[in-house]
Amino acid sequence: MGFQFKALFLYLSLFLFSDQTKAEQFIDNNSSSSFAARKLASGCNYFSGKWVYDSSYPLYDYSTCPFIDPEFNCQKYGRADKMYQNYRWQPFSCDLPRFNGLEFLERWRGKKIMFVGDSLSLNMWESLSCMIHSWVPKAKTTFMKNGLLGSVTFEDYGVKLLLYRSPYLVDLAYENGGWVLKLDSIRQGRAWRGMDMLIFNSWHWWTHTGRTQPWDYMQEGAKFYKDMNRLVAYYKGLTTWARWVNRNINSSKTKVFFQGISPTHYEGKDWNEPSKSCYGEEQPFFGTKYPAGVPLAAAVVNKVLSRTRKVYLLDVTTLSQYRKDAHPTIYSGQHSGKDCSHWCLPGVPDTWNQLLYAALIS
Ligand SMILES: *[C@@H]1O[C@H](CO)[C@@H](O)[C@H](O)[C@H]1NC(C)=O
Ligand SMILES: *[C@@H]1O[C@H](CO)[C@@H](O)[C@H](O)[C@H]1NC(C)=O
Ligand SMILES: *[C@@H]1O[C@H](CO)[C@@H](O)[C@H](O)[C@H]1NC(C)=O
């Protein structure tokens, strides 16, 4: 396993390195239009810190938020322990601003905010909707969800939180009798125009094989592939997306975020307890160095994002790796199996949204 990992890493590094010159063509080097460059302007790395118990958490109650899907509604579906809801993320070198839903609504009055990606986008979208709703429980809201699209509108403020389901960000199309994952095509990006804020995420579906793999072929240019190394495919797809951002986003109008790789906790060996999975875990990992290290997919994200200044990385990977206790497991409504991939609400995605909020106001 160790050897396999090293070989893959080497392969990936070589691949990323050799592709460098080609990729530079789309670099956006205008720092005055940079949003991401302001990331550490406050002198604080929000993403380096620890989880601390805080009895004033969670930020909302599951029973009063109308937007939580059964698959994330752990307390409603029988989870008995509650402590996992009481952890607050504490950066080492500063405090996160406390989330203020009213201020959020005032600041984004009349604006459109869209989450684009897989069900982890759904997770974060519902979390933000609940966080805002708890500040204005009597405000008129309109909720819609069907197929690829969702929306929560806070009518009195004209604030729209939209959801656009796209597990790969690049196009998936049915052509000549088969489903094709198009690594260099992103026509669906038309649906993301005109937003004031975009929060993207993609990774988990790139790993799917067999029954849960929705495509028959991958395509790049005129070439078709039956399969390829999934990290390389991810790198190609994400590069297409970054190019789309550079060509289509005006940073003075639209803030763009990337959600970062959300870790799973199916394998106890990741935190040195090989016999376990997330099921039954009631405590975060309290060490500072997570044994599994940073996932390779996060290295791909860093590489691609290093070439665009228009995207702020919500670097949620490490802080979420510490939270083996915060997944729905079996407390997820009709869903079968043990879910160690999504997150209970209230829970970890609330912290992702606090980090989003901190990035917006600092
Ligand atoms: C910015 O990029 C352009 C085109 O890629 C290049 O010609 C120019 O020298 C770069 N400017 C700086 C300051 O790096
Ligand atoms: C950089 O971006 C700013 C704001 O979008 C613009 O005013 C300026 O002309 C750009 N500079 C260059 C060298 O492209
Ligand atoms: C970017 O958006 C700003 C504010 O809406 C606008 O003033 C500016 O002209 C836009 N720039 C481009 C290149 O479209």
Side-chain angles (χ1 to χ4, degrees):
M1 193 63 204
F3 173 73
Q4 216 179 357
F5 180 86
K6 272 182 202 143
L8 182 60
F9 189 76
L10 183 65
Y11 172 59
L12 191 70
S13 316
L14 287 172
F15 175 81
L16 294 177
F17 182 72
S18 65
D19 199 49
Q20 180 117 10
T21 40
K22 192 168 125 216
E24 294 304 344
Q25 287 159 11
F26 74 87
I27 198 164
D28 171 24
N29 59 3
N30 184 347
S31 61
S32 65
S33 67
S34 167
F35 169 50
R38 292 202 300 269
K39 175 151 77 170
L40 300 177
S42 63
C44 175
N45 181 351
Y46 291 134
F47 308 104
S48 171
K50 62 181 179 183
W51 291 98
V52 296
Y53 182 82
D54 186 329
S55 60
S56 74
Y57 276 58
L59 297 176
Y60 55 89
D61 191 277
Y62 79 93
S63 63
T64 54
C65 180
F67 310 119
I68 310 178
D69 261 313
E71 57 179 315
F72 313 135
N73 210 337
C74 304
Q75 290 295 313
K76 180 170 176 185
Y77 288 96
R79 183 161 176 175
D81 64 306
K82 294 188 166 59
M83 268 265 273
Y84 70 91
Q85 300 183 110
N86 289 111
Y87 291 102
R88 173 172 60 76
W89 180 247
Q90 176 64 58
F92 288 129
S93 54
C94 61
D95 292 329
L96 280 178
R98 182 115 189 151
F99 182 81
N100 184 327
L102 258 179
E103 192 185 308
F104 188 97
L105 288 170
E106 289 297 352
R107 192 179 278 251
W108 294 90
R109 187 179 277 276
K111 303 268 200 269
K112 288 188 281 192
I113 297 164
M114 184 184 259
F115 289 84
V116 183
D118 58 26
S119 51
L120 290 154
S121 295
L122 172 72
N123 223 172
M124 189 172 171
W125 172 67
E126 292 185 358
S127 157
L128 183 60
S129 302
C130 290
M131 286 164 72
I132 297 174
H133 179 265
S134 74
W135 278 80
V136 289
K138 299 206 168 68
K140 186 170 183 307
T141 56
T142 313
F143 176 76
M144 184 281 289
K145 192 154 153 285
N146 67 43
L148 297 180
L149 290 172
S151 76
V152 171
T153 309
F154 290 86
E155 299 287 353
D156 305 332
Y157 302 85
V159 174
K160 261 187 192 299
L161 302 181
L162 301 153
L163 176 74
Y164 185 99
R165 182 175 168 78
S166 172
Y168 297 100
L169 302 181
V170 293
D171 296 329
L172 179 62
Y174 193 77
E175 283 175 4
N176 307 323
W179 284 97
V180 185
L181 181 59
K182 301 180 161 237
L183 299 177
D184 53 5
S185 167
I186 193 159
R187 294 173 62 171
Q188 60 176 339
R190 276 176 299 194
W192 314 333
R193 295 220 182 115
M195 297 298 144
D196 299 287
M197 193 193 312
L198 283 161
I199 303 108
F200 292 95
N201 130 72
S202 176
W203 166 237
H204 288 206
W205 281 75
W206 292 89
T207 65
H208 287 196
T209 56
R211 263 187 326 112
T212 62
Q213 173 188 309
W215 48 266
D216 302 302
Y217 295 95
M218 292 196 217
Q219 181 186 5
E220 189 186 28
K223 275 198 192 149
F224 288 84
Y225 301 87
K226 190 68 193 154
D227 207 342
M228 73 170 77
N229 178 291
R230 300 307 180 84
L231 283 163
V232 171
Y234 181 53
Y235 174 76
K236 289 172 186 282
L238 214 52
T239 298
T240 301
W241 164 81
R243 193 174 283 126
W244 180 89
V245 169
N246 275 339
R247 286 187 187 154
N248 292 279
I249 295 298
N250 176 345
S251 295
S252 11
K253 171 163 167 62
T254 309
K255 303 275 176 263
V256 182
F257 292 87
F258 193 84
Q259 224 172 301
I261 303 295
S262 174
T264 63
H265 290 93
Y266 290 103
E267 310 257 6
K269 68 175 166 45
D270 286 354
W271 61 95
N272 288 346
E273 295 187 276
S275 62
K276 296 197 173 171
S277 77
C278 73
Y279 180 64
E281 292 290 300
E282 298 185 2
Q283 290 279 313
F285 174 85
F286 281 120
T288 46
K289 199 162 163 40
Y290 190 67
V294 179
L296 286 173
V300 173
V301 169
N302 285 330
K303 182 73 189 171
V304 174
L305 291 194
S306 72
R307 303 211 196 93
T308 173
R309 292 170 161 277
K310 291 184 178 175
V311 183
Y312 183 110
L313 174 61
L314 288 172
D315 194 357
V316 301
T317 305
T318 304
L319 66 92
S320 308
Q321 278 182 318
Y322 297 154
R323 296 305 306 275
K324 58 189 168 66
D325 59 320
H327 295 285
T329 67
I330 60 170
Y331 309 108
S332 56
Q334 302 298 318
H335 275 249
S336 59
K338 293 173 185 163
D339 184 349
C340 300
S341 172
H342 301 104
W343 306 92
C344 296
L345 294 182
V348 168
D350 305 338
T351 295
W352 302 350
N353 281 312
Q354 281 180 282
L355 292 161
L356 174 78
Y357 181 74
L360 290 169
I361 68 171
S362 64

PDB file of all heavy atoms in Angstrom, residues 114-145:
ATOM      1  N   MET A 114     -24.761  31.073  -5.425  1.00  0.00           N
ATOM      2  CA  MET A 114     -25.012  29.726  -5.940  1.00  0.00           C
ATOM      3  C   MET A 114     -23.936  28.722  -5.514  1.00  0.00           C
ATOM      4  O   MET A 114     -22.742  28.985  -5.642  1.00  0.00           O
ATOM      5  CB  MET A 114     -25.095  29.749  -7.472  1.00  0.00           C
ATOM      6  CG  MET A 114     -25.442  28.402  -8.089  1.00  0.00           C
ATOM      7  SD  MET A 114     -25.428  28.455  -9.913  1.00  0.00           S
ATOM      8  CE  MET A 114     -27.174  28.566 -10.255  1.00  0.00           C
ATOM      9  N   PHE A 115     -24.401  27.583  -5.009  1.00  0.00           N
ATOM     10  CA  PHE A 115     -23.519  26.457  -4.720  1.00  0.00           C
ATOM     11  C   PHE A 115     -23.568  25.515  -5.918  1.00  0.00           C
ATOM     12  O   PHE A 115     -24.655  25.145  -6.373  1.00  0.00           O
ATOM     13  CB  PHE A 115     -23.992  25.710  -3.475  1.00  0.00           C
ATOM     14  CG  PHE A 115     -23.780  26.468  -2.188  1.00  0.00           C
ATOM     15  CD1 PHE A 115     -24.709  27.409  -1.747  1.00  0.00           C
ATOM     16  CD2 PHE A 115     -22.652  26.248  -1.415  1.00  0.00           C
ATOM     17  CE1 PHE A 115     -24.518  28.110  -0.560  1.00  0.00           C
ATOM     18  CE2 PHE A 115     -22.441  26.943  -0.230  1.00  0.00           C
ATOM     19  CZ  PHE A 115     -23.374  27.878   0.200  1.00  0.00           C
ATOM     20  N   VAL A 116     -22.410  25.129  -6.423  1.00  0.00           N
ATOM     21  CA  VAL A 116     -22.342  24.238  -7.587  1.00  0.00           C
ATOM     22  C   VAL A 116     -21.481  23.032  -7.235  1.00  0.00           C
ATOM     23  O   VAL A 116     -20.320  23.193  -6.832  1.00  0.00           O
ATOM     24  CB  VAL A 116     -21.714  24.949  -8.808  1.00  0.00           C
ATOM     25  CG1 VAL A 116     -21.721  24.032 -10.027  1.00  0.00           C
ATOM     26  CG2 VAL A 116     -22.433  26.258  -9.123  1.00  0.00           C
ATOM     27  N   GLY A 117     -22.019  21.839  -7.399  1.00  0.00           N
ATOM     28  CA  GLY A 117     -21.217  20.650  -7.123  1.00  0.00           C
ATOM     29  C   GLY A 117     -22.080  19.448  -6.771  1.00  0.00           C
ATOM     30  O   GLY A 117     -23.225  19.349  -7.213  1.00  0.00           O
ATOM     31  N   ASP A 118     -21.529  18.535  -5.981  1.00  0.00           N
ATOM     32  CA  ASP A 118     -22.233  17.298  -5.627  1.00  0.00           C
ATOM     33  C   ASP A 118     -23.015  17.460  -4.325  1.00  0.00           C
ATOM     34  O   ASP A 118     -23.313  18.573  -3.904  1.00  0.00           O
ATOM     35  CB  ASP A 118     -21.223  16.149  -5.568  1.00  0.00           C
ATOM     36  CG  ASP A 118     -20.110  16.423  -4.560  1.00  0.00           C
ATOM     37  OD1 ASP A 118     -20.338  17.182  -3.591  1.00  0.00           O
ATOM     38  OD2 ASP A 118     -18.993  15.893  -4.747  1.00  0.00           O
ATOM     39  N   SER A 119     -23.302  16.354  -3.650  1.00  0.00           N
ATOM     40  CA  SER A 119     -24.144  16.428  -2.456  1.00  0.00           C
ATOM     41  C   SER A 119     -23.445  17.108  -1.278  1.00  0.00           C
ATOM     42  O   SER A 119     -24.094  17.457  -0.293  1.00  0.00           O
ATOM     43  CB  SER A 119     -24.623  15.028  -2.052  1.00  0.00           C
ATOM     44  OG  SER A 119     -23.531  14.147  -1.979  1.00  0.00           O
ATOM     45  N   LEU A 120     -22.145  17.328  -1.368  1.00  0.00           N
ATOM     46  CA  LEU A 120     -21.486  18.110  -0.315  1.00  0.00           C
ATOM     47  C   LEU A 120     -21.821  19.593  -0.490  1.00  0.00           C
ATOM     48  O   LEU A 120     -21.849  20.348   0.482  1.00  0.00           O
ATOM     49  CB  LEU A 120     -19.985  17.850  -0.313  1.00  0.00           C
ATOM     50  CG  LEU A 120     -19.701  16.424   0.179  1.00  0.00           C
ATOM     51  CD1 LEU A 120     -18.393  15.902  -0.364  1.00  0.00           C
ATOM     52  CD2 LEU A 120     -19.769  16.329   1.686  1.00  0.00           C
ATOM     53  N   SER A 121     -22.133  19.988  -1.723  1.00  0.00           N
ATOM     54  CA  SER A 121     -22.659  21.341  -1.942  1.00  0.00           C
ATOM     55  C   SER A 121     -24.058  21.448  -1.343  1.00  0.00           C
ATOM     56  O   SER A 121     -24.398  22.451  -0.707  1.00  0.00           O
ATOM     57  CB  SER A 121     -22.724  21.660  -3.434  1.00  0.00           C
ATOM     58  OG  SER A 121     -21.435  21.698  -3.996  1.00  0.00           O
ATOM     59  N   LEU A 122     -24.842  20.397  -1.535  1.00  0.00           N
ATOM     60  CA  LEU A 122     -26.182  20.338  -0.923  1.00  0.00           C
ATOM     61  C   LEU A 122     -26.072  20.479   0.598  1.00  0.00           C
ATOM     62  O   LEU A 122     -26.793  21.251   1.229  1.00  0.00           O
ATOM     63  CB  LEU A 122     -26.833  19.003  -1.300  1.00  0.00           C
ATOM     64  CG  LEU A 122     -28.156  18.638  -0.631  1.00  0.00           C
ATOM     65  CD1 LEU A 122     -29.275  19.506  -1.164  1.00  0.00           C
ATOM     66  CD2 LEU A 122     -28.492  17.159  -0.854  1.00  0.00           C
ATOM     67  N   ASN A 123     -25.130  19.757   1.167  1.00  0.00           N
ATOM     68  CA  ASN A 123     -24.876  19.782   2.613  1.00  0.00           C
ATOM     69  C   ASN A 123     -24.574  21.219   3.088  1.00  0.00           C
ATOM     70  O   ASN A 123     -25.149  21.716   4.061  1.00  0.00           O
ATOM     71  CB  ASN A 123     -23.658  18.892   2.902  1.00  0.00           C
ATOM     72  CG  ASN A 123     -23.784  17.979   4.112  1.00  0.00           C
ATOM     73  OD1 ASN A 123     -22.938  17.122   4.346  1.00  0.00           O
ATOM     74  ND2 ASN A 123     -24.810  18.131   4.902  1.00  0.00           N
ATOM     75  N   MET A 124     -23.713  21.912   2.354  1.00  0.00           N
ATOM     76  CA  MET A 124     -23.282  23.257   2.751  1.00  0.00           C
ATOM     77  C   MET A 124     -24.375  24.296   2.485  1.00  0.00           C
ATOM     78  O   MET A 124     -24.546  25.243   3.247  1.00  0.00           O
ATOM     79  CB  MET A 124     -21.994  23.611   1.999  1.00  0.00           C
ATOM     80  CG  MET A 124     -21.331  24.883   2.496  1.00  0.00           C
ATOM     81  SD  MET A 124     -19.706  25.107   1.723  1.00  0.00           S
ATOM     82  CE  MET A 124     -19.309  26.789   2.272  1.00  0.00           C
ATOM     83  N   TRP A 125     -25.123  24.105   1.413  1.00  0.00           N
ATOM     84  CA  TRP A 125     -26.235  25.002   1.053  1.00  0.00           C
ATOM     85  C   TRP A 125     -27.327  24.947   2.138  1.00  0.00           C
ATOM     86  O   TRP A 125     -27.823  25.977   2.593  1.00  0.00           O
ATOM     87  CB  TRP A 125     -26.777  24.564  -0.305  1.00  0.00           C
ATOM     88  CG  TRP A 125     -28.026  25.214  -0.793  1.00  0.00           C
ATOM     89  CD1 TRP A 125     -28.186  26.518  -1.164  1.00  0.00           C
ATOM     90  CD2 TRP A 125     -29.300  24.582  -1.002  1.00  0.00           C
ATOM     91  NE1 TRP A 125     -29.480  26.732  -1.594  1.00  0.00           N
ATOM     92  CE2 TRP A 125     -30.180  25.561  -1.508  1.00  0.00           C
ATOM     93  CE3 TRP A 125     -29.778  23.284  -0.826  1.00  0.00           C
ATOM     94  CZ2 TRP A 125     -31.519  25.287  -1.828  1.00  0.00           C
ATOM     95  CZ3 TRP A 125     -31.100  23.003  -1.153  1.00  0.00           C
ATOM     96  CH2 TRP A 125     -31.952  23.993  -1.637  1.00  0.00           C
ATOM     97  N   GLU A 126     -27.664  23.731   2.564  1.00  0.00           N
ATOM     98  CA  GLU A 126     -28.699  23.597   3.598  1.00  0.00           C
ATOM     99  C   GLU A 126     -28.211  24.171   4.923  1.00  0.00           C
ATOM    100  O   GLU A 126     -28.969  24.797   5.659  1.00  0.00           O
ATOM    101  CB  GLU A 126     -29.116  22.125   3.757  1.00  0.00           C
ATOM    102  CG  GLU A 126     -29.852  21.636   2.519  1.00  0.00           C
ATOM    103  CD  GLU A 126     -30.411  20.226   2.628  1.00  0.00           C
ATOM    104  OE1 GLU A 126     -30.211  19.560   3.662  1.00  0.00           O
ATOM    105  OE2 GLU A 126     -31.068  19.804   1.654  1.00  0.00           O
ATOM    106  N   SER A 127     -26.931  23.976   5.201  1.00  0.00           N
ATOM    107  CA  SER A 127     -26.354  24.526   6.420  1.00  0.00           C
ATOM    108  C   SER A 127     -26.457  26.055   6.442  1.00  0.00           C
ATOM    109  O   SER A 127     -26.933  26.646   7.423  1.00  0.00           O
ATOM    110  CB  SER A 127     -24.881  24.086   6.522  1.00  0.00           C
ATOM    111  OG  SER A 127     -24.141  24.958   7.340  1.00  0.00           O
ATOM    112  N   LEU A 128     -26.056  26.711   5.352  1.00  0.00           N
ATOM    113  CA  LEU A 128     -26.110  28.185   5.309  1.00  0.00           C
ATOM    114  C   LEU A 128     -27.552  28.674   5.409  1.00  0.00           C
ATOM    115  O   LEU A 128     -27.837  29.645   6.114  1.00  0.00           O
ATOM    116  CB  LEU A 128     -25.445  28.708   4.028  1.00  0.00           C
ATOM    117  CG  LEU A 128     -25.374  30.237   3.901  1.00  0.00           C
ATOM    118  CD1 LEU A 128     -24.589  30.867   5.045  1.00  0.00           C
ATOM    119  CD2 LEU A 128     -24.749  30.656   2.562  1.00  0.00           C
ATOM    120  N   SER A 129     -28.459  27.966   4.750  1.00  0.00           N
ATOM    121  CA  SER A 129     -29.877  28.344   4.824  1.00  0.00           C
ATOM    122  C   SER A 129     -30.374  28.286   6.266  1.00  0.00           C
ATOM    123  O   SER A 129     -31.081  29.186   6.722  1.00  0.00           O
ATOM    124  CB  SER A 129     -30.724  27.414   3.948  1.00  0.00           C
ATOM    125  OG  SER A 129     -30.280  27.462   2.606  1.00  0.00           O
ATOM    126  N   CYS A 130     -29.979  27.245   6.992  1.00  0.00           N
ATOM    127  CA  CYS A 130     -30.388  27.108   8.399  1.00  0.00           C
ATOM    128  C   CYS A 130     -29.741  28.182   9.271  1.00  0.00           C
ATOM    129  O   CYS A 130     -30.386  28.745  10.158  1.00  0.00           O
ATOM    130  CB  CYS A 130     -29.987  25.735   8.944  1.00  0.00           C
ATOM    131  SG  CYS A 130     -30.910  24.350   8.268  1.00  0.00           S
ATOM    132  N   MET A 131     -28.470  28.459   9.015  1.00  0.00           N
ATOM    133  CA  MET A 131     -27.754  29.452   9.824  1.00  0.00           C
ATOM    134  C   MET A 131     -28.398  30.825   9.684  1.00  0.00           C
ATOM    135  O   MET A 131     -28.558  31.559  10.662  1.00  0.00           O
ATOM    136  CB  MET A 131     -26.280  29.516   9.408  1.00  0.00           C
ATOM    137  CG  MET A 131     -25.477  28.304   9.883  1.00  0.00           C
ATOM    138  SD  MET A 131     -23.884  28.136   9.043  1.00  0.00           S
ATOM    139  CE  MET A 131     -22.929  29.480   9.741  1.00  0.00           C
ATOM    140  N   ILE A 132     -28.789  31.180   8.470  1.00  0.00           N
ATOM    141  CA  ILE A 132     -29.438  32.475   8.248  1.00  0.00           C
ATOM    142  C   ILE A 132     -30.848  32.451   8.839  1.00  0.00           C
ATOM    143  O   ILE A 132     -31.257  33.365   9.552  1.00  0.00           O
ATOM    144  CB  ILE A 132     -29.485  32.818   6.744  1.00  0.00           C
ATOM    145  CG1 ILE A 132     -28.068  32.970   6.183  1.00  0.00           C
ATOM    146  CG2 ILE A 132     -30.280  34.102   6.513  1.00  0.00           C
ATOM    147  CD1 ILE A 132     -28.010  33.155   4.676  1.00  0.00           C
ATOM    148  N   HIS A 133     -31.562  31.371   8.562  1.00  0.00           N
ATOM    149  CA  HIS A 133     -32.948  31.250   9.028  1.00  0.00           C
ATOM    150  C   HIS A 133     -33.059  31.413  10.547  1.00  0.00           C
ATOM    151  O   HIS A 133     -34.011  32.003  11.055  1.00  0.00           O
ATOM    152  CB  HIS A 133     -33.506  29.888   8.592  1.00  0.00           C
ATOM    153  CG  HIS A 133     -34.912  29.630   9.034  1.00  0.00           C
ATOM    154  ND1 HIS A 133     -35.217  28.937  10.185  1.00  0.00           N
ATOM    155  CD2 HIS A 133     -36.110  29.993   8.498  1.00  0.00           C
ATOM    156  CE1 HIS A 133     -36.527  28.872  10.329  1.00  0.00           C
ATOM    157  NE2 HIS A 133     -37.082  29.513   9.319  1.00  0.00           N
ATOM    158  N   SER A 134     -32.077  30.909  11.283  1.00  0.00           N
ATOM    159  CA  SER A 134     -32.162  30.983  12.744  1.00  0.00           C
ATOM    160  C   SER A 134     -32.089  32.431  13.247  1.00  0.00           C
ATOM    161  O   SER A 134     -32.519  32.732  14.350  1.00  0.00           O
ATOM    162  CB  SER A 134     -31.068  30.130  13.392  1.00  0.00           C
ATOM    163  OG  SER A 134     -29.826  30.771  13.270  1.00  0.00           O
ATOM    164  N   TRP A 135     -31.566  33.334  12.419  1.00  0.00           N
ATOM    165  CA  TRP A 135     -31.525  34.754  12.795  1.00  0.00           C
ATOM    166  C   TRP A 135     -32.839  35.465  12.465  1.00  0.00           C
ATOM    167  O   TRP A 135     -33.134  36.511  13.040  1.00  0.00           O
ATOM    168  CB  TRP A 135     -30.375  35.467  12.074  1.00  0.00           C
ATOM    169  CG  TRP A 135     -29.072  35.252  12.763  1.00  0.00           C
ATOM    170  CD1 TRP A 135     -28.282  34.147  12.677  1.00  0.00           C
ATOM    171  CD2 TRP A 135     -28.404  36.160  13.651  1.00  0.00           C
ATOM    172  NE1 TRP A 135     -27.162  34.303  13.448  1.00  0.00           N
ATOM    173  CE2 TRP A 135     -27.215  35.542  14.055  1.00  0.00           C
ATOM    174  CE3 TRP A 135     -28.705  37.437  14.127  1.00  0.00           C
ATOM    175  CZ2 TRP A 135     -26.319  36.145  14.942  1.00  0.00           C
ATOM    176  CZ3 TRP A 135     -27.812  38.047  15.003  1.00  0.00           C
ATOM    177  CH2 TRP A 135     -26.635  37.396  15.402  1.00  0.00           C
ATOM    178  N   VAL A 136     -33.562  34.942  11.494  1.00  0.00           N
ATOM    179  CA  VAL A 136     -34.806  35.589  11.062  1.00  0.00           C
ATOM    180  C   VAL A 136     -35.904  34.532  10.900  1.00  0.00           C
ATOM    181  O   VAL A 136     -36.451  34.340   9.820  1.00  0.00           O
ATOM    182  CB  VAL A 136     -34.612  36.357   9.728  1.00  0.00           C
ATOM    183  CG1 VAL A 136     -33.782  37.599   9.916  1.00  0.00           C
ATOM    184  CG2 VAL A 136     -33.954  35.466   8.659  1.00  0.00           C
ATOM    185  N   PRO A 137     -36.237  33.830  12.018  1.00  0.00           N
ATOM    186  CA  PRO A 137     -37.151  32.686  11.910  1.00  0.00           C
ATOM    187  C   PRO A 137     -38.532  33.047  11.360  1.00  0.00           C
ATOM    188  O   PRO A 137     -39.230  32.189  10.834  1.00  0.00           O
ATOM    189  CB  PRO A 137     -37.231  32.157  13.342  1.00  0.00           C
ATOM    190  CG  PRO A 137     -36.709  33.236  14.213  1.00  0.00           C
ATOM    191  CD  PRO A 137     -35.775  34.054  13.393  1.00  0.00           C
ATOM    192  N   LYS A 138     -38.905  34.335  11.470  1.00  0.00           N
ATOM    193  CA  LYS A 138     -40.251  34.720  11.005  1.00  0.00           C
ATOM    194  C   LYS A 138     -40.243  35.283   9.593  1.00  0.00           C
ATOM    195  O   LYS A 138     -41.291  35.592   9.032  1.00  0.00           O
ATOM    196  CB  LYS A 138     -40.854  35.741  11.974  1.00  0.00           C
ATOM    197  CG  LYS A 138     -41.016  35.171  13.384  1.00  0.00           C
ATOM    198  CD  LYS A 138     -42.132  35.885  14.140  1.00  0.00           C
ATOM    199  CE  LYS A 138     -42.497  35.144  15.406  1.00  0.00           C
ATOM    200  NZ  LYS A 138     -41.392  35.199  16.421  1.00  0.00           N
ATOM    201  N   ALA A 139     -39.062  35.442   9.040  1.00  0.00           N
ATOM    202  CA  ALA A 139     -38.973  36.026   7.690  1.00  0.00           C
ATOM    203  C   ALA A 139     -39.603  35.097   6.669  1.00  0.00           C
ATOM    204  O   ALA A 139     -39.578  33.869   6.821  1.00  0.00           O
ATOM    205  CB  ALA A 139     -37.517  36.295   7.328  1.00  0.00           C
ATOM    206  N   LYS A 140     -40.168  35.696   5.619  1.00  0.00           N
ATOM    207  CA  LYS A 140     -40.804  34.895   4.577  1.00  0.00           C
ATOM    208  C   LYS A 140     -39.724  34.251   3.695  1.00  0.00           C
ATOM    209  O   LYS A 140     -38.853  34.949   3.169  1.00  0.00           O
ATOM    210  CB  LYS A 140     -41.694  35.799   3.726  1.00  0.00           C
ATOM    211  CG  LYS A 140     -42.515  35.029   2.697  1.00  0.00           C
ATOM    212  CD  LYS A 140     -43.547  35.956   2.049  1.00  0.00           C
ATOM    213  CE  LYS A 140     -44.448  35.248   1.067  1.00  0.00           C
ATOM    214  NZ  LYS A 140     -43.768  34.483   0.022  1.00  0.00           N
ATOM    215  N   THR A 141     -39.794  32.933   3.569  1.00  0.00           N
ATOM    216  CA  THR A 141     -38.843  32.243   2.700  1.00  0.00           C
ATOM    217  C   THR A 141     -39.597  31.404   1.669  1.00  0.00           C
ATOM    218  O   THR A 141     -40.716  30.954   1.928  1.00  0.00           O
ATOM    219  CB  THR A 141     -37.928  31.282   3.489  1.00  0.00           C
ATOM    220  OG1 THR A 141     -38.734  30.358   4.224  1.00  0.00           O
ATOM    221  CG2 THR A 141     -37.013  32.023   4.434  1.00  0.00           C
ATOM    222  N   THR A 142     -38.981  31.229   0.521  1.00  0.00           N
ATOM    223  CA  THR A 142     -39.526  30.332  -0.491  1.00  0.00           C
ATOM    224  C   THR A 142     -38.490  29.246  -0.742  1.00  0.00           C
ATOM    225  O   THR A 142     -37.306  29.550  -0.914  1.00  0.00           O
ATOM    226  CB  THR A 142     -39.769  31.088  -1.819  1.00  0.00           C
ATOM    227  OG1 THR A 142     -40.447  32.297  -1.514  1.00  0.00           O
ATOM    228  CG2 THR A 142     -40.604  30.260  -2.771  1.00  0.00           C
ATOM    229  N   PHE A 143     -38.933  28.015  -0.735  1.00  0.00           N
ATOM    230  CA  PHE A 143     -38.029  26.877  -0.881  1.00  0.00           C
ATOM    231  C   PHE A 143     -38.433  26.068  -2.106  1.00  0.00           C
ATOM    232  O   PHE A 143     -39.616  25.795  -2.307  1.00  0.00           O
ATOM    233  CB  PHE A 143     -38.115  26.010   0.371  1.00  0.00           C
ATOM    234  CG  PHE A 143     -37.302  24.747   0.313  1.00  0.00           C
ATOM    235  CD1 PHE A 143     -35.929  24.789   0.461  1.00  0.00           C
ATOM    236  CD2 PHE A 143     -37.921  23.513   0.117  1.00  0.00           C
ATOM    237  CE1 PHE A 143     -35.172  23.615   0.411  1.00  0.00           C
ATOM    238  CE2 PHE A 143     -37.164  22.346   0.065  1.00  0.00           C
ATOM    239  CZ  PHE A 143     -35.795  22.398   0.214  1.00  0.00           C
ATOM    240  N   MET A 144     -37.466  25.736  -2.940  1.00  0.00           N
ATOM    241  CA  MET A 144     -37.755  24.930  -4.125  1.00  0.00           C
ATOM    242  C   MET A 144     -36.607  23.953  -4.312  1.00  0.00           C
ATOM    243  O   MET A 144     -35.439  24.314  -4.152  1.00  0.00           O
ATOM    244  CB  MET A 144     -37.867  25.859  -5.327  1.00  0.00           C
ATOM    245  CG  MET A 144     -38.261  25.209  -6.643  1.00  0.00           C
ATOM    246  SD  MET A 144     -36.948  24.354  -7.511  1.00  0.00           S
ATOM    247  CE  MET A 144     -35.947  25.705  -8.082  1.00  0.00           C
ATOM    248  N   LYS A 145     -36.932  22.711  -4.626  1.00  0.00           N
ATOM    249  CA  LYS A 145     -35.876  21.761  -4.947  1.00  0.00           C
ATOM    250  C   LYS A 145     -36.443  20.745  -5.923  1.00  0.00           C
ATOM    251  O   LYS A 145     -37.418  20.078  -5.624  1.00  0.00           O
ATOM    252  CB  LYS A 145     -35.388  21.075  -3.673  1.00  0.00           C
ATOM    253  CG  LYS A 145     -34.115  20.296  -3.824  1.00  0.00           C
ATOM    254  CD  LYS A 145     -33.402  20.230  -2.469  1.00  0.00           C
ATOM    255  CE  LYS A 145     -32.532  19.004  -2.338  1.00  0.00           C
ATOM    256  NZ  LYS A 145     -33.305  17.752  -2.107  1.00  0.00           N
TER     257      LYS A 145
END
